[in-house]
Amino acid sequence: RGVMAQYRKGALTSWYRSKMAQVDAGVDDALEEAGSKGEEMMKYLIMTRGTGRLWSHPWGPNNREGSFPGRVDTGKMLDAVGHRVLKLGGKSQLRMGWTSGTREDYFLAQNVGFTHNLTGQTIEGMYALDDATDYMYEELRKSLRRLGHS
């Protein structure tokens, strides 16, 4: 005794292609969702991770008196944060970080820390890109686990 399955010609191939298309769409949706969450987290961290230092006098175009609550002065660094899901050679790729507009050198300096060229003080980094990337990957893992169980 055995089980015999009969398939009309091409039915299995059609079923398989349909399932793979669903997986591909689910992965793209998971990438988009994770990228969006990573972008929002990075913006939040830039807006909230100042150094907490008061300055000796108002500085910059907005005459801020210190690096608090975050590191937003002109808005360029914040506005440059974004994400994209790209299709490259049949593969999907997620990019998140300073992907919109012009990336300026000071963005990375603010992220990892630097020695201030006027005061000589060490300015600690905010690590917004690093921590938002970790958060984004965790969100992607959650989405992919859900996809695997659906």
Side-chain angles (χ1 to χ4, degrees):
R1 293 184 189 195
V3 176
M4 188 169 130
Q6 291 183 344
Y7 297 99
R8 59 183 171 77
K9 188 174 182 176
L12 186 58
T13 301
S14 178
W15 173 85
Y16 176 77
R17 286 185 179 148
S18 171
K19 289 296 179 190
M20 291 310 298
Q22 288 174 0
V23 168
D24 285 347
V27 168
D28 286 346
D29 289 347
L31 289 170
E32 179 60 39
E33 180 182 344
S36 180
K37 287 181 177 182
E39 175 184 339
E40 291 305 311
M41 176 58 76
M42 187 169 171
K43 288 178 178 179
Y44 172 79
L45 295 174
I46 290 170
M47 291 186 295
T48 59
R49 286 190 176 172
T51 65
R53 293 184 183 181
L54 285 173
W55 301 329
S56 60
H57 61 278
W59 187 260
N62 295 319
N63 288 319
R64 290 177 60 208
E65 296 181 359
S67 179
F68 53 86
R71 301 193 194 206
V72 180
D73 192 18
T74 65
K76 287 181 184 178
M77 182 166 54
L78 191 65
D79 291 344
V81 175
H83 76 281
R84 292 184 287 213
V85 177
L86 305 171
K87 290 282 198 177
L88 304 168
K91 296 181 182 181
S92 296
Q93 184 181 83
L94 171 59
R95 294 182 182 176
M96 190 277 303
W98 290 293
T99 62
S100 305
T102 303
R103 182 171 61 193
E104 299 192 20
D105 292 340
Y106 80 90
F107 298 177
L108 292 176
Q110 289 287 338
N111 193 60
V112 299
F114 61 99
T115 301
H116 196 283
N117 61 342
L118 297 177
T119 67
Q121 290 180 316
T122 299
I123 308 299
E124 58 273 8
M126 63 181 167
Y127 300 101
L129 178 60
D130 313 70
D131 293 343
T133 299
D134 290 346
Y135 175 75
M136 179 189 71
Y137 279 129
E138 185 54 37
E139 291 300 310
L140 181 59
R141 279 194 266 307
K142 289 177 191 175
S143 292
L144 294 176
R145 272 190 232 114
R146 283 192 302 269
L147 180 63
H149 290 97
S150 61

